[in-house]
Amino acid sequence: MPSQPRRWSRFAGYAMMAAAGVGAAMVPTPSVVDATGPLVYLWAAFLTVGGLLSAYGAATDRWIGEHIGLPLLWAAFGVYALILASLLAPASVVASMVIGAFGLLLYGRWRDVGAVRREATRAAHHH
């Protein structure tokens, strides 16, 4: 059973990602618009929906929310990291590494949640 502070810190982080997605749809980042055109709204939707699903999972302590939401989040962070890296400005490359690292951490969390899902399924079938 996860500790309450850890669970609620995940909830807050995911909720912030969802809010960032809403903000990105309302005021798209120029670099993302330049690189993706109207796909910027898909990127924003990934942040919003992935953040909401993952926040739900963290708040309710149900793995399914994070399991579904996290791929949307790490994909959104990966796309943004690649866009920043493509600008080739030193500050953009540094920001790309930070955002890319965060995307990889979200991917790792998704893998951990997947292990929990597999164990829960296995335990359910043995009872």
Side-chain angles (χ1 to χ4, degrees), residues 53-97:
L53 287 168
S54 296
Y56 167 80
T60 61
D61 201 23
R62 300 195 189 282
W63 58 263
I64 191 70
E66 285 183 284
H67 188 68
I68 296 170
L70 281 166
L72 296 171
L73 291 174
W74 52 259
F77 280 89
V79 166
Y80 196 57
L82 289 173
I83 290 167
L84 284 172
S86 73
L87 298 175
L88 299 179
S92 294
V93 172
V94 170
S96 171
M97 289 190 294

Side-chain angles (χ1 to χ4, degrees), residues 1-20:
M1 179 167 166
S3 71
Q4 290 289 64
R6 187 173 66 210
R7 186 169 109 193
W8 289 108
S9 67
R10 284 194 339 266
F11 169 81
Y14 293 141
M16 290 171 72
M17 289 178 207

Side-chain angles (χ1 to χ4, degrees), residues 4 42 55 65 85 91 97 108 119 125:
Q4 290 289 64
L42 179 62
M97 289 190 294
E119 183 57 32
H125 288 129

Side-chain angles (χ1 to χ4, degrees), residues 18-52:
V22 171
M26 293 171 55
V27 184
T29 304
S31 60
V32 179
V33 172
D34 291 345
T36 65
L39 289 177
V40 68
Y41 297 105
L42 179 62
W43 175 76
F46 275 29
L47 281 176
T48 303
V49 174
L52 288 173

